[in-house]
Amino acid sequence: MRKDELDTTPRPHILVIDDEPHLCELLAYRLEHHGYRVSTELSARGGLEALEQASIDAIILDLRLEDADGIEVLSEVQKRSPDLPVIILTAHGTIETAVLAIQRGAYGFLTKPFQDYELLQKLAQAIESGRLKREVAGLRRIVGDTSSDIRLLGTSDNIAAVRERIARVAPADATVLLLGESGTGKELAARSLHALSARKARPFVAVNCGALPAELLESELFGHVRGAFTGASRDKDGLFAAARGGTLLLDEIGEAPAPVQVKLLRVLQEKRFSKVGSATEEDADVRIVAATNRDLRAEVAAGRFREDLFYRLHVVPIVMPPLRERTDDIPLLAELFLRRAAARYGLPEPYLSTDAMRVLLAHSWPGNVRELANVMEGAILLCQEERIRPQHILATLATPARPPAPLPGETPAETTEEGPPSGLANLDPEAPLPPLRAARDSFERAYLVEALRRAGGNVSAAAKLAGRNRTDFHDLLRKHGLSGADFKA
């Protein structure tokens, strides 16, 4: 085992905790070559001791250690250093484990064997994320001990960039404009901004500007005095008063009628407002976050939205990516929504078949994450077995589904309901490109099927053909839902 001497250089310090000495040496060599300082530990106990003795910028943690479970070590790290990014490294990666690790606060998840660029990219992002979090005094991790209702889950670059921008702008009171299609999580982003701000102990209030007529929306936002209009029998505070000291989300701001736009502009300019029917002004001590799925520049050009209000709102824009642009997150999100739905209805938790996952990856998801959550809820209610199959997904899609896209290594004719084919034909250039992880999993399963076929279902013989020890090979079979008994003559 090796350990670097502490020095005063500004290079990021990485702690590797893995019980394989050769892997530790290899990681240290690779990372030092790219300018990192590296300490390695072969046990959970040694890793936690090292954490107490040195300033660490990120941890690379093996999921399975001889003296402890990696998830338990992760939890202990979170107790001691809540903002320290941890990358889970394992040869036993599953979607289920990835979800659990990320729920417990892991920054990322890599499966052995991995490419250098994968590790270096993930590590650089993790260190930057940790740096941003340390700059935010008193703030906690976006994914961690907060309510599940305000988490922006996912490991794709697109959603990671959104989380990092939220962490950067949350401490300020600057107005934020959330842009994106319906169902992309704009309200979740707004709640995260609030939870990571100095206003987090005060109210978070949301209003849909397109759901109310102009006169009613104005009264709801600013309140009214008795006699201001027919039916105003008493004074009433509005949402600006209800959100005082906190955050007010103006959802679907692009649909706000012209009279309301005028009053909102004054609030943003002068931080003051008056109730409907009153000449008395009040302070608007709120942080305004606006959200829309419309192109506000086009609305301005068409004369439907005030240009001056647009620029007042467009201080910090955050674009929420549609689900079709973060397909790497679909397996993780689908698994999570299955778990939630199973818990909600008291049902056993099924798993997704490979072909059901193909349907999910091929779908365009016009309703985005919200649609995925609804589809998984519907699928679990329709499923009467332990496996979610394509028909359960197709029956719940609100829009026509595209044919399941063949993954790299297969052609449409080779696709079967029970699992991926074993051919290695080129991907159809007209087919949507599936995520690299899905392609890798598809090839891995096809390889296991072929090994079992050649070994006549003898797991020990198949493991020898694959050059893996029997325990690891069994773990891989469980990951892909395979059994040697299915291949015996």
Side-chain angles (χ1 to χ4, degrees), residues 345-482:
Y345 295 110
L347 297 171
E349 182 185 334
Y351 66 92
L352 280 160
S353 70
T354 305
D355 286 294
M357 184 60 71
R358 280 196 190 87
V359 174
L360 296 179
L361 294 173
H363 189 51
S364 60
W365 297 109
N368 294 295
V369 178
R370 184 185 299 131
E371 182 186 4
L372 177 60
N374 292 338
V375 165
M376 300 318 296
E377 182 173 350
I380 201 172
L381 292 174
L382 294 176
C383 181
Q384 300 295 317
E385 51 187 302
E386 64 178 10
R387 179 184 303 189
I388 299 286
R389 298 181 184 274
Q391 59 265 33
H392 303 132
I393 303 296
L394 295 170
T396 58
L397 290 176
T399 56
R402 294 182 296 184
L407 301 177
E410 66 188 48
T411 62
E414 293 173 312
T415 302
T416 66
E417 183 180 335
E418 292 305 317
S422 58
L424 296 176
N426 291 328
L427 176 67
D428 179 357
E430 299 301 320
L433 186 65
L436 179 60
R437 182 177 296 278
R440 190 180 293 137
D441 285 346
S442 175
F443 177 82
E444 185 177 74
R445 190 179 194 278
Y447 183 92
L448 295 172
V449 168
E450 181 62 17
L452 287 170
R453 187 189 66 78
R454 295 189 183 191
N458 186 310
V459 174
S460 296
K464 182 177 290 188
L465 286 173
R468 303 295 292 265
N469 66 57
R470 196 173 186 276
T471 300
D472 286 350
F473 198 79
H474 265 297
D475 288 334
L476 288 173
L477 295 182
R478 279 194 293 271
K479 170 184 173 182
H480 292 283
L482 297 172

Side-chain angles (χ1 to χ4, degrees), residues 196-479:
L196 293 172
S197 75
R199 296 176 176 269
K200 63 184 177 182
R202 304 296 297 165
F204 174 88
V205 178
V207 58
N208 188 325
C209 296
L212 300 171
E215 60 277 6
L216 184 54
L217 177 60
E218 186 175 1
S219 173
E220 285 296 308
L221 285 172
F222 305 106
H224 61 257
V225 297
R226 180 180 178 183
F229 50 82
T230 303
S233 58
R234 58 183 178 84
D235 289 359
K236 177 186 175 182
D237 286 336
L239 297 180
F240 271 93
R244 184 169 286 119
T247 302
L248 178 61
L249 170 62
L250 301 174
D251 200 6
E252 303 303 342
I253 187 66
E255 299 182 27
V260 173
Q261 291 183 35
V262 172
K263 296 197 73 169
L264 287 175
L265 178 63
R266 188 161 189 274
V267 172
L268 289 166
Q269 289 176 331
E270 303 179 20
K271 302 296 182 184
R272 298 181 68 78
F273 69 95
S274 57
K275 293 180 177 179
V276 177
S278 172
T280 303
E281 291 191 329
E282 301 179 33
D283 289 332
D285 179 20
V286 297
R287 196 240 186 104
I288 291 180
V289 177
T292 182
N293 59 11
R294 292 191 177 188
D295 182 346
L296 287 189
R297 292 185 187 275
E299 294 295 301
V300 169
R304 291 187 291 267
F305 199 83
R306 295 183 63 99
E307 185 176 22
D308 44 6
L309 178 57
F310 169 73
Y311 286 114
R312 285 286 180 178
L313 293 171
H314 200 269
V315 178
V316 180
I318 297 179
V319 179
M320 302 300 296
L323 189 56
R324 63 182 175 275
E325 293 180 6
R326 45 181 294 215
T327 52
D328 284 352
D329 294 331
I330 289 177
L332 185 149
L333 292 171
E335 182 76 13
L336 178 62
F337 293 145
L338 270 183
R339 284 188 168 197
R340 288 181 177 176
R344 183 181 305 120
Y345 295 110
L347 297 171
E349 182 185 334
Y351 66 92
L352 280 160
S353 70
T354 305
D355 286 294
M357 184 60 71
R358 280 196 190 87
V359 174
L360 296 179
L361 294 173
H363 189 51
S364 60
W365 297 109
N368 294 295
V369 178
R370 184 185 299 131
E371 182 186 4
L372 177 60
N374 292 338
V375 165
M376 300 318 296
E377 182 173 350
I380 201 172
L381 292 174
L382 294 176
C383 181
Q384 300 295 317
E385 51 187 302
E386 64 178 10
R387 179 184 303 189
I388 299 286
R389 298 181 184 274
Q391 59 265 33
H392 303 132
I393 303 296
L394 295 170
T396 58
L397 290 176
T399 56
R402 294 182 296 184
L407 301 177
E410 66 188 48
T411 62
E414 293 173 312
T415 302
T416 66
E417 183 180 335
E418 292 305 317
S422 58
L424 296 176
N426 291 328
L427 176 67
D428 179 357
E430 299 301 320
L433 186 65
L436 179 60
R437 182 177 296 278
R440 190 180 293 137
D441 285 346
S442 175
F443 177 82
E444 185 177 74
R445 190 179 194 278
Y447 183 92
L448 295 172
V449 168
E450 181 62 17
L452 287 170
R453 187 189 66 78
R454 295 189 183 191
N458 186 310
V459 174
S460 296
K464 182 177 290 188
L465 286 173
R468 303 295 292 265
N469 66 57
R470 196 173 186 276
T471 300
D472 286 350
F473 198 79
H474 265 297
D475 288 334
L476 288 173
L477 295 182
R478 279 194 293 271
K479 170 184 173 182

Side-chain angles (χ1 to χ4, degrees), residues 142-175:
I142 292 175
V143 181
D145 296 332
T146 57
S147 165
S148 61
D149 290 337
I150 63 170
R151 294 194 210 139
L152 287 170
L153 292 176
T155 59
S156 65
D157 291 344
N158 284 342
I159 202 65
V162 169
R163 285 200 298 262
E164 290 183 7
R165 175 164 283 204
I166 287 174
R168 186 183 293 274
V169 305
D173 258 0
T175 302

